[in-house]
Amino acid sequence: MIKEIFDKQLYELRKLWANKRQLTFQVLNLAMIVFSALMIWKGLMFVTKSESPVVVVLSGSMEPAFQRGDILFLNHAVTDV
């Protein structure tokens, strides 16, 4: 069963390699997704003035305020009061 899946995937990759236009389209799509994620990350870094604007709580040391797995958005912007 695994060999059949592997052979099918190998066949699809060979077919994609033969069609250069489709291969280029797939590579450009992947590049757009990666660069979009990087631009969003850099934008969040600029707006929040934090090197890590999004963090995930990995341990229970912050309980009861934050549970494991919570996603936190950090903001180091200084406001005048």
Side-chain angles (χ1 to χ4, degrees):
M1 175 158 171
I2 293 179
K3 181 166 177 20
E4 292 171 6
I5 294 172
F6 180 77
D7 289 340
K8 183 178 178 184
Q9 291 298 319
L10 190 60
Y11 171 75
E12 291 295 327
L13 283 173
R14 285 183 180 152
K15 193 166 72 170
L16 183 63
W17 185 258
N19 187 352
K20 300 297 184 194
R21 179 175 285 178
Q22 185 69 21
L23 177 65
T24 304
F25 181 72
Q26 291 292 333
V27 169
L28 288 175
N29 264 342
L30 178 62
M32 285 192 323
I33 291 168
V34 169
F35 289 131
S36 295
L38 287 174
M39 286 189 296
I40 291 170
W41 185 261
K42 286 294 187 179
L44 282 172
M45 286 176 64
F46 179 75
V47 169
T48 63
K49 297 188 179 29
S50 172
E51 244 180 76
S52 296
V54 180
V55 293
V56 177
V57 178
L58 296 177
S59 69
S61 64
M62 299 177 82
E63 290 180 359
F66 302 110
Q67 302 296 318
R68 288 181 59 199
D70 285 352
I71 298 173
L72 305 177
F73 294 94
L74 304 180
N75 187 3
H76 291 269
V78 177
T79 58
D80 293 335
V81 177

